[in-house]
Amino acid sequence: MARRARPVLGRRGVPLAAVAASALLLCACDAASVDLIPTATPTHEARPAAEAAPVGIAFAPLSGTPADAAALRHPSLAVKIDNHWDARPQIALNRTDLVYEELVEGGLTRYVAVWHSDVPDQVGPVRSVRPMDPLIASPLGGIIAYSGGQQYFVDLMHATPLLNVVADEDDGTLFERADDRPGPHDLVLAAADVVAANAGLAPPPVQFAYGTADPLAAPSLAATPTSRIELVFSESSSPSWEWDPTTYAWLRAQDGTPDLEASGERIRATNVVTLRVAIEWPYEEVPLTALTGTGEAWVSAGGRTAHGTWTKPDAGAPITLTADDGSTLRLAPGNTWIELVPNEGSAAFAP
């Protein structure tokens, strides 16, 4: 609010001689003969000013952005989201804190999308679980939602500490089929209802370290200016990101076409974290992303990219990002996409 200007009090233009004469007369008068104008006596009792209740400010654990502490006291919701071309545009991806993109059968990719600081009413389309999803979601705690899957993969997910919300086990209150989408890419989850019904579960722990809006500026990180990120998961999947300095965000494309969500907005991210991962095949045609151990990593934020390594010692541990100089690779506060690019694929960062 603009501060109101205080009026400047000036002289009335009375001649200086008259002012001086008046002053001499006042000095000559006996103090008792001067009538002082009485001050009005208040007719009400003075009351102390009301004190506003303090508002607790915290930082969202999955995005590093400031938020009302009370609004963060609920679990995160991880959802298996379809990325088949018939599933696009997906619902509410720009309101996620984290999105993990993984290779699935047929050379396509799917997402594990995570909402916590901003939970929408609906998300989707929801698809089935895959064998690497317990490795991705376990460090988050909270809730995991999916449509179903091969029984062995479902059993793996049920063995995690997460609350499983499964369409195959739903009574029809949380999942519904959207009339304007082709099946099986039409399953929508009532996300806000799921979180509200399980609000007593613990909030997620921090997954990544956060810094400033330009966290890669330190010369020791040797970050390079980046205008475009080109990723290849397979012959069928080639997502890319381009840096937009006007919105200070990475804008996503798939197979050379701008990638939109259902709101009509271009899918965007504050950070893009690219991890090179091994792909194993213990389940015949279903690939398994090996997400424990260590590997090559890049963090792209603020129009720069820094190189380093990722480490994840076990299923319950979060991913640790370390720069080539040994320091922690920090992200900018905001949403993050984690690209789990196969070693057989490629990652390129254009200046």
Side-chain angles (χ1 to χ4, degrees):
M1 181 179 295
R3 183 178 296 171
R4 182 179 297 174
R6 182 180 295 172
V8 179
L9 299 178
R11 294 186 177 89
R12 295 178 178 271
V14 179
L16 289 176
V19 173
S22 299
L24 289 172
L25 287 171
L26 287 172
C27 291
C29 293
D30 183 85
S33 66
V34 178
D35 292 328
L36 299 177
I37 300 174
T39 303
T41 302
T43 58
H44 60 276
E45 295 181 1
R47 292 178 295 175
E51 295 183 1
V55 177
I57 299 298
F59 291 89
L62 303 186
S63 67
T65 53
D68 181 353
L72 299 173
R73 295 186 188 127
H74 59 80
S76 59
L77 171 64
V79 185
K80 196 62 186 288
I81 298 294
D82 198 355
N83 191 34
H84 188 278
W85 45 83
D86 287 339
R88 304 171 195 162
Q90 294 94 345
I91 303 168
L93 286 180
N94 278 345
R95 295 174 65 178
T96 55
D97 291 72
L98 303 171
V99 177
Y100 296 80
E101 184 170 18
E102 62 187 29
L103 182 71
V104 295
E105 59 273 21
L108 303 179
T109 67
R110 286 188 184 175
Y111 306 142
V112 176
V114 186
W115 288 268
H116 177 248
S117 61
D118 181 14
V119 180
D121 289 338
Q122 293 185 322
V123 301
V126 182
R127 288 303 299 271
S128 54
V129 75
R130 290 296 181 269
M132 52 280 197
D133 295 334
L135 299 173
I136 293 172
S138 287
L140 299 165
I143 308 165
I144 178 75
Y146 51 97
S147 63
Q150 294 185 29
Q151 190 59 50
Y152 182 68
F153 303 155
V154 172
D155 291 344
L156 288 175
M157 187 57 79
H158 273 294
T160 70
L162 285 75
L163 172 68
N164 283 230
V165 176
V166 189
D168 290 350
E169 304 167 7
D170 182 49
D171 59 4
T173 59
L174 297 176
F175 293 88
E176 66 177 0
R177 296 286 177 180
D179 294 335
D180 58 345
R181 292 175 176 268
H185 316 285
D186 57 349
L187 188 62
V188 176
L189 173 68
D193 290 347
V194 172
V195 173
N198 298 281
L201 296 177
V206 172
Q207 299 295 297
F208 298 102
Y210 294 91
T212 66
D214 189 9
L216 308 178
S220 61
L221 296 176
T224 57
T226 306
S227 63
R228 189 171 179 84
I229 304 169
E230 297 277 0
L231 307 174
V232 176
F233 280 76
S234 69
E235 293 181 357
S236 305
S237 181
S238 300
S240 62
W241 297 87
E242 59 186 85
W243 177 247
D244 180 15
T246 60
T247 60
Y248 215 73
W250 300 98
L251 303 181
R252 182 176 168 87
Q254 295 203 74
D255 305 317
T257 302
D259 199 5
L260 308 180
E261 64 162 24
S263 67
E265 295 179 342
R266 182 89 172 263
I267 293 177
R268 62 184 182 272
T270 302
N271 308 285
V272 178
V273 175
T274 304
L275 309 182
R276 296 302 297 273
V277 296
I279 301 296
E280 301 173 356
W281 300 89
Y283 308 111
E284 297 182 355
E285 77 281 1
V286 179
L288 169 65
T289 298
L291 199 56
T292 55
T294 188
E296 194 173 16
W298 294 264
V299 170
S300 300
R304 310 173 193 256
T305 298
H307 183 264
T309 58
W310 66 267
T311 304
K312 181 175 165 61
D314 55 60
I319 296 168
T320 299
L321 300 172
T322 305
D324 288 340
D325 69 350
S327 65
T328 298
L329 272 173
R330 297 183 178 274
L331 310 184
N335 71 318
T336 301
W337 279 61
I338 301 94
E339 302 282 13
L340 305 177
V341 178
N343 288 332
E344 296 78 10
S346 64
F349 304 87

